[in-house]
Amino acid sequence: MRLCLLTVLVALTCCHLGSGLRILGVFPLNGRSHWMMAERLMVALAERGHQVDVITHFPMKTPPPNYKEISLEGSLEAVQNNLDAKTANQFNQMNFDVMVDKAGVKVCDLLAHENIQRVIKNPPNDPPYDLVITEVFISPCYLAFSRHLKVPMAVIMTSSFLDWLEDVTGNPQNTAFMPNMFSAFAQPMSFSDRLLNTLLSKFFAYQLNSRMDIMSKHVKDYFGIDIPVRELHKDIALYLVNSHHSLNGIKPTNPNIVEVGGLHVTENGNPLSPEVKKWLDESTHGCIYVTFGSMVRIETFPKPLLDAFYTVFKKIAPVRVLMKIAKKEELPPGLPANVMVQPWFSQVTVLKHKNVKAFITHGGLMGFQEAVYFGVPLIGVPIFGDQHTNLKSAASMKIAVSLGSPSNVTVETLSYAIDKVLNDDEYRTNMKRISTLFKDRPMKPLDEAVYWIEYVARHGNVLQSPAIHLTWWQQNLLDVYAFLFVCVAAVLGVVVFVLRKLTRLLPGCKSCSKKDTKTSESKKRK
């Protein structure tokens, strides 16, 4: 009996694995926060029985079954815990050349890496790949994998939808109520907001798209495909976007754009160290968690800002503070006794703890979503990118107090923000309501992402908008409006012409009388 049961189980397993896909994941951007979403998705696909090969900078120590890593580790300068205050401020100034060079051109240069070249030149055929998954940001050269391997492509966006891709995706964009990713406007927008939002959207799209054209050369050199790089977006069957209407507002989207905001969030994170667990368990008056993400090092910020942190944290005792500091030795002396610093915390586990009452954050989307999921109000110090927009949106919902920028952090402003979040019940009540909206879905975002990936693997590009095959002037109906204008002008011209003719034939027409009088006078002179 046992032998029969074992045989059946083995047969079912073989059938399941046999029906699985072979998926190539391509993730050449070396940002840890970007990788969090990709890793969670790729591991889930492997756990579902698909064979997953992943190009990554962050290989696991013990990868799961069906999961093969193609390592890029060490090929780019590490950014984790390697961004000081000065460099972070440069990103805040929106230097497009620096942005495209670091996250675009240098990332595309990795196509020369021997491990990537091996995949390009000798892709497996036992079986071949069925689907490619990559991240779409500002290194579109990797979209060429779809055309090169002749398979459908799904992409992830680790932010809300990148509005500079609206035209190539055919997704409707209305700047009257859809804020630009970097505009920091909240819905609804005033007239001045709508004006600036429209100008900023066009400006950012032009600045980024014009600079990404150079990556067409990478596509030609490494894939042998001579095509403008933006044309490769037409090969994308599915966009998995890290957004949700509860946080990012209501926006129209095409069927191939699926919101899976919070996909990376898990109910159970890594366990806390005994020291941190004891600290949190004993924080009966509450604890504030402080981190500026995986890249920015708080200890490199100006001394006045750090002094403000010290003064306020000391003043709020017996409330305690957990603060992520990569290099404790670089902190100025005088750290208050109610503050614990560590180079790393299991963020999900910390935010889930019952004694954590507030989260001081830079407003990165991943941490923002985790705080919402576990219902922890925010105190925001945005630095660059979409952090300003995230925190302004959170402040408008009264689930956060945003200080605007690190330069605005003083003893007075930080004390006010902490007091509001800790002692004004409105913030915690609102956060619980938003958290409920964020989690109330027909299926978990990870399950939804897996479903749609399997769907496009089966059916290809059936969800694409037909608008991607139209030019910009066709999408905006300029040819239709021009035709209608010509038609109206022609009709008006005919009407005017006919009316002039008719007036000459009517009796008593003044113009006709004048003409007859002139004619008779002319005859008399003769």
Side-chain angles (χ1 to χ4, degrees):
M1 182 66 181
R2 288 183 180 178
L3 180 60
C4 291
L5 180 61
L6 181 61
T7 303
V8 171
L9 289 174
V10 170
L12 289 173
T13 302
C14 290
C15 290
H16 178 65
L17 292 177
S19 64
L21 303 169
R22 183 155 195 178
I23 300 172
L24 174 65
V26 184
F27 301 99
L29 190 64
N30 62 329
R32 184 78 197 187
S33 58
H34 288 249
W35 171 240
M36 288 172 62
M37 181 179 175
E39 181 181 42
R40 180 94 167 109
L41 176 61
M42 302 311 289
V43 168
L45 289 167
E47 290 173 346
R48 193 172 173 90
H50 302 302
Q51 174 61 50
V52 177
D53 299 347
V54 183
I55 297 174
T56 175
H57 292 271
F58 306 98
M60 299 180 187
K61 292 181 180 178
T62 54
N66 308 329
Y67 188 95
K68 175 186 174 184
E69 292 172 323
I70 302 168
S71 178
L72 301 178
E73 189 175 20
S75 58
L76 289 178
E77 181 183 3
V79 295
Q80 187 171 354
N81 291 328
N82 200 33
L83 195 63
D84 58 33
K86 183 178 179 181
T87 307
N89 188 54
Q90 289 178 350
F91 281 109
N92 189 42
Q93 295 170 359
M94 291 307 299
N95 186 319
F96 292 101
D97 290 326
V98 172
M99 184 178 178
V100 173
D101 179 64
K102 289 185 177 296
V105 175
K106 281 186 169 55
V107 173
C108 283
D109 287 344
L110 285 178
L111 285 168
H113 194 285
E114 59 180 351
N115 288 347
I116 297 182
Q117 279 294 299
R118 193 175 298 117
V119 175
I120 293 173
K121 294 178 179 178
N122 299 295
N125 55 15
D126 54 342
Y129 290 120
D130 299 294
L131 182 80
V132 179
I133 303 175
T134 189
E135 179 184 359
V136 62
F137 185 45
I138 49 178
S139 53
C141 54
Y142 288 90
L143 300 179
F145 268 102
S146 174
R147 192 162 297 200
H148 177 69
L149 297 173
K150 298 179 176 60
V151 296
M153 169 169 280
V155 299
I156 65 171
M157 286 186 185
T158 57
S159 64
S160 58
F161 198 85
L162 305 172
D163 47 4
W164 60 82
L165 296 181
E166 296 283 2
D167 58 336
V168 292
T169 59
N171 197 52
Q173 182 188 22
N174 190 327
T175 54
F177 67 93
M178 297 169 65
N180 174 264
M181 183 178 177
F182 300 115
S183 70
F185 295 130
Q187 296 175 331
M189 291 184 278
S190 65
F191 170 77
S192 59
D193 290 344
R194 285 182 282 119
L195 174 62
L196 288 173
N197 186 57
T198 301
L199 295 175
L200 284 172
S201 293
K202 302 303 180 186
F203 175 72
F204 280 117
Y206 171 76
Q207 292 291 343
L208 288 169
N209 289 329
S210 62
R211 284 168 170 79
M212 286 191 280
D213 287 342
I214 192 175
M215 296 172 222
S216 300
K217 186 175 185 302
H218 291 84
V219 175
K220 183 177 181 180
D221 290 346
Y222 295 108
F223 291 96
I225 302 172
D226 190 5
I227 187 175
V229 72
R230 281 176 60 77
E231 285 290 308
L232 295 173
H233 290 87
K234 293 181 179 179
D235 296 338
I236 299 174
L238 176 68
Y239 292 83
L240 298 172
V241 185
N242 192 25
S243 63
H244 188 259
H245 61 83
S246 63
L247 304 182
N248 304 97
I250 305 299
K251 301 175 184 178
T253 56
N254 293 330
N256 69 335
I257 297 174
V258 180
E259 287 193 314
V260 290
L263 177 150
H264 72 288
V265 182
T266 59
E267 283 284 352
N268 299 304
N270 294 321
L272 300 171
S273 67
E275 180 186 15
V276 175
K277 186 178 186 306
K278 183 174 184 294
W279 177 271
L280 283 175
D281 290 343
E282 294 176 354
S283 298
T284 55
H285 294 277
C287 185
I288 297 174
Y289 176 52
V290 185
T291 177
F292 283 1
S294 61
M295 296 168 59
V296 178
R297 295 197 292 123
I298 295 176
E299 61 271 28
T300 65
F301 277 85
K303 190 174 183 297
L305 185 148
L306 296 175
D307 288 342
F309 275 140
Y310 281 20
T311 301
V312 175
F313 291 162
K314 184 176 181 180
K315 187 171 64 173
I316 64 174
V319 174
R320 289 178 165 184
V321 177
L322 274 182
M323 185 158 61
K324 176 186 170 292
I325 298 294
K327 298 180 180 179
K328 181 180 178 180
E329 62 276 10
E330 293 185 12
L331 280 174
L335 187 72
N338 64 326
V339 179
M340 172 185 282
V341 298
Q342 296 279 351
W344 179 84
F345 293 103
S346 176
Q347 185 157 289
V348 164
T349 313
V350 168
L351 291 172
K352 188 179 179 181
H353 197 283
K354 64 180 181 179
N355 289 335
V356 173
K357 304 300 182 184
F359 180 19
I360 298 180
T361 173
H362 62 310
L365 188 55
M366 302 299 183
F368 178 29
Q369 290 173 343
E370 290 166 0
V372 169
Y373 192 92
F374 294 108
V376 181
L378 308 162
I379 296 160
V381 186
I383 300 173
F384 58 80
D386 64 343
Q387 297 161 16
H388 296 274
T389 304
N390 296 337
L391 288 170
K392 190 164 185 177
S393 175
S396 70
M397 294 184 282
K398 286 201 170 182
I399 60 174
V401 176
S402 178
L403 299 183
S405 74
S407 61
N408 294 335
V409 177
T410 64
V411 172
E412 292 75 20
T413 59
L414 186 58
S415 295
Y416 170 81
I418 290 177
D419 180 66
K420 289 291 287 183
V421 168
L422 289 184
N423 300 316
D424 189 337
D425 290 339
E426 184 179 18
Y427 285 85
R428 189 162 293 277
T429 300
N430 287 339
M431 182 57 95
K432 287 181 179 178
R433 179 177 60 83
I434 298 298
S435 180
T436 300
L437 288 174
F438 185 66
K439 292 187 285 188
D440 190 357
R441 313 187 197 189
M443 60 195 304
K444 292 182 179 180
L446 182 60
D447 294 333
E448 187 167 10
V450 170
Y451 169 79
W452 286 111
I453 284 172
E454 293 174 342
Y455 182 91
V456 297
R458 292 192 299 268
H459 304 297
N461 295 344
V462 297
L463 300 175
Q464 285 183 330
S465 168
I468 64 174
H469 303 294
L470 302 176
T471 62
W472 67 270
W473 45 272
Q474 289 173 324
Q475 286 187 25
N476 290 282
L477 293 174
L478 296 185
D479 53 342
V480 172
Y481 295 142
F483 176 76
L484 292 175
F485 175 80
V486 170
C487 289
V488 171
V491 170
L492 289 175
V494 170
V495 170
V496 170
F497 176 78
V498 171
L499 288 175
R500 283 180 176 177
K501 290 292 185 182
L502 288 174
T503 54
R504 290 175 183 175
L505 299 174
L506 292 175
C509 174
K510 292 182 179 181
S511 61
C512 295
S513 299
K514 289 179 181 179
K515 186 175 180 181
D516 292 341
T517 303
K518 289 180 180 179
T519 303
S520 59
E521 288 178 354
S522 175
K523 289 180 178 180
K524 288 179 180 178
R525 288 193 192 104
K526 291 180 179 179

